[in-house]
Amino acid sequence: SACATAYEEKLQNMFANAIVARHIASRRSFSTVISNVGPVTAAYMRKVELGALRKDESQINLASKLDSLHQSLAASDSHIIKDYDELKAVIENYSFALSLHKGGYLSLFQNPIDTSYMMARHVHQQIKGALWLPPPTRGMYIHGSVGVGKSFCMDLFYDTCKDITHYRGRRRAHFHEFMLDVHQRIHQFKRDHPKQDPIPFVALELAHEAQLLCFDEFQVTDIADALILKRLFSLMFHIGVVVVSTSNRPPDALYEGGLNRSLFLPFIDSLKETCDVISMDTTHDYRRDAINVENNQSNSYFLTCNGTTTYNSLQHIFNSGGGNSRNEAIPVIMGREVKVSRANEKCAWFDFKELCHQPLGAADYISIANRFDTIIIDNVPQLGANHYNEARRFVTLIDALYEARTKLVISAQVALENLFVDFQAQLVTSDGDEEIAVEEKKSRDETWVNGEGGSSSSNSTTMVRSKNGENIEWSATGRVGVSLAQLSAVQEVAFSFRRAESRLAEMSGSQWGQ
C-alpha cells in the first residue's frame, strides 16, 4: 500500500541515520574532551580568571563531565528524530513492542491501526538488526549539598549548548515550573479530549519542542507527580530526550516515604539507566560567601523588633519601585489570578500571612516573581514544624523568586541563621513498634506520626518533639487527623530548609537582583 511504501522510505532513512549515529557514539569517550578543554570548562575558567568565582576541584570535575556530554550532543544533533509524525510513530512502535508481552495492542493515540502491519514493521526492525532510534545519549543526574555549584555548572553547560541544539532544541526550567507546565498541558488536553489518555500526547509535544531538558531542583513530593513522571519520562527517554538535572537528593532517595512509592521505583531505575549519576562530594556553601564578605550587613533582611527603623527602610524600598500604590490582579495559569493588595510599577509589598497563610502554590509564586523586580515580605516568623504549611509555601516562594532572580526584601522576627528550625519526620505506630520512615538524624527538633488506627490511618496525628521535650501538634491539612500520605511532603520540607536558608543568604547580598 502507499502507507507501507512511505513507511519503508522513512525507515531506510532512519536506518542510515542510526548507522551514522552508532559510528559517532563509538568514537565518544567520557574520559577525554577535544583539546582536553571543553566549552564548559573553558567558560568556567574564564570566570575564575575574571575573579567571579573561586576555583573548586569538584566543580571542575563536573564541568569536564559536562564537556563530554556537550561533545556527544554536538556530534549527534543532526541525526535525531524531530519530525512530529516520526516521533509519533516511535511512540506507537514502543507501545506495540511492549504489548507483545501483554497479549494485546491499543494505539496510544487511539488511531485506527493495522496490527498486522505493525507486526510486520516490528519484525522488519528485528531482522535488520537496526534500532528504531539512534543510540541514546546519556543524560546526567547531579546531586549534592546546597550551594556547592550544581546549578551554576549546569547553567554554564546549558549556555554552551546554544549552538549545538539547532535540531534537538533545548529547555531549562526549575522542576516546579516544568511540572506546572505538564499539568496545564494535561488539563487542556483532557478538556478537549475527555476520553483519551493525555500522557502520550504531552510526551510527544515536549519532545517535539526540545530534546535536551535541564532541570534545577529535581524533587517529587506527591503520588500524582510520581505517577505522571513514571509514564511521561518512560516515553520521552525512549524517544531520545536527554535530561540533565540537579537535586539535593540522590535518585534512590526521591519520593522517600511517599504513598505507594513502590509504583514510583521503576522510574528511578529508568532514570539511572538513562543518566549518569554524579555526586558533588563537597559541602562548602558558596551562596553564603557573599553574606560573609559583607559581615552579615544586609540591605534586604531586616528585623521587625527594630520597629520604625525597619518600617521606614521597607517604605523607602517600596517607593523606589515607582508609581502610586495600588491593588493588582496577576494572571496565573489555568485561568486563575492572584491578588496583590499593595503594588506599584516594579515592587509588591506583602505581609507574610498574605502569601503563606493562603492556599497558594508554585504557579502563584512564579507569576508574582515574573511580574515584579522586587518583593517585600513583612512579619516573617520563625519557621519549623509548628508552622508546616506556612514553611512549605515559603520554601516554594523562595525557589520561585530565586529562579526568576527577583530581589527579595524580608522583615523577620529572628535573624536569618535562626529563621528555619530543623525537624525530622518518622513514624510511630499505635502498638508501640516504631517504624522509621527515613534515616534518623541529629537535629534540633524531631517529628513523628502517632497512628491511632494503624500506621496508614487517616486519623493519625503528627507531633513535633522539641529539644527540650515539649510536644507540638501540627496538621498538614488544617485538621487534627492527618493521613500518613503527607509524610513524604513533610520530609521534603524539612530537607529543603537547608536549600532555602542557603538561597536566602545569597539573595540577601547586595549583588542579588543587579
Side-chain angles (χ1 to χ4, degrees):
S1 66
C3 177
T5 301
Y7 167 73
E8 287 292 336
E9 291 178 357
K10 283 191 175 183
L11 188 62
Q12 289 174 5
N13 291 333
M14 295 175 74
F15 284 153
N17 286 339
I19 293 171
V20 173
R22 278 201 201 91
H23 177 64
I24 292 168
S26 68
R27 295 183 300 164
R28 170 185 166 193
S29 171
F30 278 102
S31 61
T32 61
V33 184
I34 297 174
S35 301
N36 295 321
V37 179
V40 185
T41 301
Y44 180 90
M45 294 309 298
R46 282 195 295 270
K47 289 187 176 292
V48 172
E49 292 169 1
L50 292 172
L53 55 89
R54 191 173 70 197
K55 188 176 179 180
D56 181 283
E57 287 302 321
S58 64
Q59 293 176 4
I60 292 175
N61 290 336
L62 175 57
S64 178
K65 292 180 172 65
L66 290 168
D67 281 330
S68 294
L69 176 55
H70 183 282
Q71 182 182 1
S72 179
L73 292 172
S76 62
D77 185 56
S78 62
H79 305 288
I80 62 121
I81 299 174
K82 195 66 184 291
D83 178 79
Y84 188 89
D85 290 333
E86 287 188 358
L87 286 172
K88 191 172 181 180
V90 168
I91 294 180
E92 285 284 18
N93 185 73
Y94 177 59
S95 174
F96 183 74
L98 292 178
S99 73
L100 296 180
H101 302 286
K102 299 179 180 179
Y105 178 69
L106 175 65
S107 166
L108 288 176
F109 300 98
Q110 296 200 352
N111 294 326
I113 293 293
D114 181 347
T115 55
S116 61
Y117 169 64
M118 290 292 294
M119 176 62 80
R121 183 175 73 176
H122 182 75
V123 172
H124 183 65
Q125 288 179 243
Q126 305 306 314
I127 293 174
K128 293 288 289 187
L131 296 176
W132 177 252
L133 290 171
T137 300
R138 291 178 64 81
M140 282 192 190
Y141 183 97
I142 307 161
H143 68 92
S145 299
V146 298
V148 298
K150 304 183 298 296
S151 301
F152 174 77
C153 290
M154 184 185 73
D155 287 343
L156 284 181
F157 164 77
Y158 181 80
D159 290 341
T160 63
C161 287
K162 179 179 180 181
D163 296 328
I164 63 159
T165 52
H166 297 298
Y167 294 94
R168 180 178 274 109
R170 61 183 182 138
R171 177 181 178 183
R172 194 267 190 208
H174 189 279
F175 198 64
H176 272 318
E177 179 187 349
F178 174 76
M179 288 308 298
L180 285 171
D181 179 37
V182 169
H183 282 291
Q184 177 157 358
R185 291 172 191 251
I186 291 174
H187 172 76
Q188 291 175 340
F189 184 86
K190 291 178 72 173
R191 181 188 60 197
D192 299 331
H193 309 278
K195 295 184 179 181
Q196 293 190 41
D197 180 4
I199 298 300
F201 286 90
V202 173
L204 180 61
E205 283 184 354
L206 291 169
H208 184 62
E209 293 167 7
Q211 292 185 31
L212 171 62
L213 299 178
C214 294
F215 297 132
D216 194 25
E217 303 300 344
F218 196 104
Q219 56 182 311
V220 185
T221 59
D222 65 75
I223 186 63
D225 282 355
L227 295 180
I228 288 173
L229 285 173
K230 174 189 170 185
R231 296 191 58 221
L232 181 69
F233 276 83
S234 67
L235 292 172
M236 293 203 299
F237 284 148
H238 181 76
I239 289 172
V241 172
V242 178
V243 172
V244 178
S245 62
T246 69
S247 179
N248 295 132
R249 292 182 179 274
D252 290 328
L254 288 172
Y255 195 47
E256 194 167 40
L259 180 67
N260 292 330
R261 186 173 185 260
S262 60
L263 300 176
F264 180 68
L265 294 180
F267 169 76
I268 295 178
D269 293 337
S270 179
L271 187 67
K272 292 190 291 187
E273 288 172 2
T274 55
C275 296
D276 293 323
V277 179
I278 309 297
S279 175
M280 294 281 282
D281 297 322
T282 181
T283 58
H284 182 81
D285 186 350
Y286 285 96
R287 293 190 186 118
R288 294 184 177 275
D289 288 353
I291 227 29
N292 292 336
V293 168
E294 295 171 12
N295 297 317
N296 291 321
Q297 297 299 313
S298 173
N299 61 354
S300 59
Y301 194 97
F302 303 90
L303 296 176
T304 55
C305 62
N306 291 334
T308 303
T309 301
T310 291
Y311 178 83
N312 290 339
S313 297
L314 298 184
Q315 187 67 55
H316 174 74
I317 294 171
F318 180 75
N319 291 341
S320 66
N324 297 324
S325 179
R326 60 178 183 271
N327 296 327
E328 188 171 331
I330 302 173
V332 183
I333 62 171
M334 298 187 189
R336 299 188 300 106
E337 61 181 26
V338 60
K339 306 287 187 182
V340 182
S341 60
R342 194 164 21 168
N344 56 32
E345 294 300 320
K346 297 182 179 181
C347 183
W349 189 342
F350 298 92
D351 186 89
F352 178 80
K353 291 182 178 180
E354 292 180 272
L355 286 176
C356 300
H357 281 240
Q358 306 299 322
L360 302 179
D364 305 286
Y365 300 139
I366 289 171
S367 295
I368 291 171
N370 290 334
R371 162 62 184 88
F372 299 103
D373 294 340
T374 302
I375 300 295
I376 300 172
I377 307 177
D378 205 357
N379 298 313
V380 179
Q382 188 177 50
L383 298 168
N386 57 333
H387 288 95
Y388 166 75
N389 274 324
E390 295 84 354
R392 173 175 54 84
R393 295 182 184 119
F394 189 64
V395 167
T396 303
L397 171 62
I398 291 172
D399 284 342
L401 298 175
Y402 187 89
E403 186 69 16
R405 293 200 65 83
T406 303
K407 185 174 179 61
L408 174 61
V409 179
I410 286 178
S411 168
Q413 296 174 3
V414 296
L416 175 57
E417 59 269 22
N418 298 320
L419 184 61
F420 296 99
V421 179
D422 294 335
F423 63 94
Q424 182 65 33
Q426 59 186 22
L427 306 181
V428 179
T429 60
S430 57
D431 60 5
D433 294 330
E434 186 174 73
E435 178 190 354
I436 304 299
V438 294
E439 185 178 350
E440 204 171 44
K441 298 179 181 179
K442 293 182 179 179
S443 61
R444 284 171 282 182
D445 287 354
E446 292 180 358
T447 302
W448 77 96
V449 180
N450 185 19
E452 296 283 326
S455 61
S456 61
S457 170
S458 61
N459 295 320
S460 303
T461 301
T462 306
M463 305 293 292
V464 177
R465 181 183 297 119
S466 64
K467 61 182 179 181
N468 60 7
E470 180 185 4
N471 292 343
I472 304 170
E473 183 179 42
W474 65 267
S475 170
T477 62
R479 302 187 299 271
V480 172
V482 182
S483 169
L484 295 189
Q486 295 287 343
L487 181 62
S488 177
V490 176
Q491 294 168 343
E492 190 61 42
V493 170
F495 191 83
S496 66
F497 274 7
R498 283 171 289 172
R499 181 181 77 246
E501 188 175 5
S502 171
R503 289 185 162 184
L504 273 180
E506 182 180 1
M507 295 167 78
S508 298
S510 60
Q511 298 302 310
W512 182 261
Q514 298 297 318

